[in-house]
Amino acid sequence: MTVKKIFENLGLVNDNTRIFIRHDDGERELLLACGNWYQDDILEYLNCKVENFTWQDDNFLYIDLVDIKSCIKDC
């Protein structure tokens, strides 16, 4: 599953959803981006594969990526 599929297919994301995109590199957990779905820093990760995600009823969505090197050109 990709970040884009979560946004499009699951009905969890709206304009008010606060999204946190993270990656665990084995040594530390990195916060890569934080914001709403339409912000550029979030959109940069649309094609990344998701390891897992958590949606909280306070409209927060936490997305953990599998491998950022395979989906971001600058990595």
Side-chain angles (χ1 to χ4, degrees):
M1 176 177 283
T2 63
V3 172
K4 184 176 182 177
K5 291 203 184 279
I6 292 173
F7 291 176
E8 292 178 346
N9 299 338
L10 299 181
L12 299 175
V13 177
N14 61 42
D15 288 347
N16 297 317
T17 304
R18 190 78 169 156
I19 300 163
F20 300 86
I21 296 185
R22 310 179 296 191
H23 175 66
D24 186 342
D25 69 359
E27 295 179 23
R28 62 195 175 272
E29 189 172 280
L30 306 169
L31 179 62
L32 304 173
C34 176
N36 301 93
W37 73 266
Y38 50 81
Q39 293 177 310
D40 288 341
D41 56 334
I42 298 293
L43 293 174
E44 180 178 358
Y45 296 96
L46 280 183
N47 296 317
C48 294
K49 291 184 180 178
V50 173
E51 182 175 345
N52 58 61
F53 67 92
T54 303
W55 180 84
Q56 294 181 189
D57 59 4
D58 57 1
N59 212 14
F60 281 28
L61 177 63
Y62 298 90
I63 300 174
D64 296 313
L65 302 181
V66 173
D67 179 19
I68 58 173
K69 292 180 183 177
S70 65
C71 65
I72 303 298
K73 295 177 187 172
D74 296 332
C75 289

